[in-house]
Each structure stands twice: as structure tokens, then as C-alpha cells.
Amino acid sequence: AQKITQTQPGMFVQEKEAVTLDCTYDTSDPSYGLFWYKQPSSGEMIFLIYQGSYDQQNATEGRYSLNFQKARKSANLVISASQLGDSAMYFCASDAGGTSYGKLTFGQGTILTVHP
Amino acid sequence: DSGVTQTPKHLITATGQRVTLRCSPRSGDLSVYWYQQSLDQGLQFLIQYYNGEERAKGNILERFSAQQFPDLHSELNLSSLELGDSALYFCASSQSKGGNTEAFFGQGTRLTVV
């Protein structure tokens, strides 16, 4: 079974600074995907970034990058130049292999607060 | 806007009742997933349909059922509701049968059981 661990219940960052949100995963499947989603206070889930287990390079999407360290089973999200609108809950997730391919297992989330 | 539409946005109902949550996936997406988000359990996968057929099942209670129709919209039926069923229910859709592609989430249906 997949397990996603986010060890930071809350993080604070100053506006315009960079912040790293931690995520470790546990899977025995050779092929998997890693995802980050943002959930603002309004409740919707917004897809941010995706990393495939066979991707050689770290994924980047604008101000978001995923620091993928396969040997350590970590997939940390880096947000550069934080903005006030980045304040939200952030979830790390992974999809499973086999017949449950595509089903996402989520971590408990990290609440990010950006200070002006 | 993710392109996934969920109705209703809010639902308040009494214990023992039955409700139906509706989801229209993004145009072209064949997979629909249902998730439950509650304070104590976090975000949990319930069930996946691909092109009308059940593809994967998670921690879905027997009181809950889902289906995907020929036009690809999906419904999640919750019956004999209990206070503990109060949660945010998300529908997500993706193009593929399996993984390695992002799933786009709807805005969710907030269910309150009183």
C-alpha cells in the first residue's frame, strides 16, 4: 500500500522568499507518479505539479518545482518568490501501480502561511 | 476553473436520509474518481470509474454506491446517512485509465448531516 508523509503541519514564510514543503512516500511499485495540490480556504483542489518516477529531471511549473530524490523517496515542493495568495493547504499525493493505477493517496497536508 | 463540475455545492440533510452527488468530468476525460475529505480521515479515495465501468475501489462504505453514465457524468449515492458522513466530497477526472497523468478536481460538495 502507498503511504505519503508530510511532517510539517504548518509552515510560515515571508512574502517574496522561497519555501520548501516536505513530502516522503513509501511504495514498492516501480512506476508511480507524484503530485502536489493546493487547497485554498475556499476548498477547491488545484493541481500544481507532477513528477513521474522515471523522469530524469525535476519537474517545474512556473514558481513551483519538485525536488525529486528517488533514493530517499522524497518529493519536496519548492515555491519560489512566495506571494500572499500562496497561503493555503498543500497536499502531496501519489498514484499506485497495478490495478489501482490512477488512484491518489494523499498526505495529511501542510498549511502554508505567507506573511507580508 | 478545472472544467469538472459538481452539484450541489452544499447539502444539508438529516441522519438516515439518502442523497445523490453529481459530477460532470472535463470534456474528453474518461476516468472519474470520487474522494472524501473529512477532518479525522483526511482525503480518501472512494472509487474510480473508467468509461462506464468500475476500475478501482477504495475505502467506500457499503452504504455508498456510484455509477458512471454513457455521457460520462457520474453520481455518488450516499444512503442511511450518519453524522460521520459529513465531509467534503470531491470528484476528479483524468484522461487515462491509469495513472501518470494529473487528475483535475471539481469544487466539491460539502455534505452536512444533522
Side-chain angles (χ1 to χ4, degrees):
Chain A
Q2 299 255 329
K3 187 178 178 183
I4 303 292
T5 303
Q6 295 180 252
T7 57
Q8 306 153 316
M11 287 285 286
F12 295 88
V13 66
Q14 207 72 24
E15 195 179 8
K16 298 180 186 176
E17 292 187 351
V19 63
T20 298
L21 306 183
D22 294 342
C23 172
T24 57
Y25 59 92
D26 186 10
T27 179
S28 55
D29 297 308
S31 179
Y32 50 89
L34 296 158
F35 305 78
W36 278 91
Y37 285 85
K38 172 184 177 182
Q39 187 176 37
S41 57
S42 52
E44 72 265 36
M45 293 286 288
I46 302 167
F47 166 75
L48 295 178
I49 196 166
Y50 162 81
Q51 178 87 41
S53 58
Y54 292 118
D55 293 342
Q56 296 294 320
Q57 292 192 327
N58 287 341
T60 59
E61 288 286 349
R63 294 186 298 111
Y64 304 108
S65 60
L66 200 152
N67 185 0
F68 181 45
Q69 298 188 45
K70 198 169 183 176
R72 292 186 174 186
K73 293 191 174 181
S74 77
N76 298 339
L77 177 71
V78 180
I79 305 175
S80 63
S82 297
Q83 301 172 356
L84 296 178
D86 294 335
S87 293
M89 176 80 91
Y90 288 80
F91 289 98
C92 179
S94 176
D95 64 13
T99 58
S100 293
Y101 213 34
K103 159 201 162 184
L104 292 174
T105 299
F106 286 86
Q108 289 300 310
T110 297
I111 299 175
L112 175 67
T113 303
V114 181
H115 289 302
Chain B
D1 184 359
S2 67
V4 179
T5 304
Q6 286 188 251
T7 56
K9 286 191 170 49
H10 301 276
L11 200 48
I12 301 175
T13 190
T15 53
Q17 294 298 305
R18 172 189 170 95
V19 297
T20 298
L21 312 184
R22 183 187 169 100
C23 169
S24 294
R26 291 188 320 157
S27 177
D29 284 358
L30 298 178
S31 268
V32 169
Y33 307 81
W34 286 97
Y35 290 86
Q36 179 195 59
Q37 185 179 28
S38 62
L39 282 174
D40 53 345
Q41 299 287 337
L43 261 164
Q44 286 203 100
F45 168 76
L46 295 178
I47 198 164
Q48 177 199 0
Y49 278 82
Y50 177 79
N51 204 19
E53 293 188 1
E54 183 182 301
R55 171 106 176 109
K57 216 166 185 176
N59 297 326
I60 187 167
L61 299 171
E62 284 192 12
R63 300 183 285 109
F64 296 1
S65 64
Q67 54 185 327
Q68 186 179 28
F69 295 87
D71 67 353
L72 300 177
H73 91 271
S74 178
E75 292 180 356
L76 179 67
N77 300 297
L78 315 176
S79 61
S80 303
L81 285 166
E82 302 173 359
L83 295 177
D85 297 328
S86 295
L88 188 54
Y89 290 85
F90 284 107
C91 167
S93 74
S94 71
Q95 290 182 335
S96 72
K97 178 189 288 189
N100 282 346
T101 184
E102 59 269 29
F104 291 89
F105 282 71
Q107 299 236 338
T109 293
R110 187 169 294 280
L111 173 66
T112 304
V113 182
V114 297

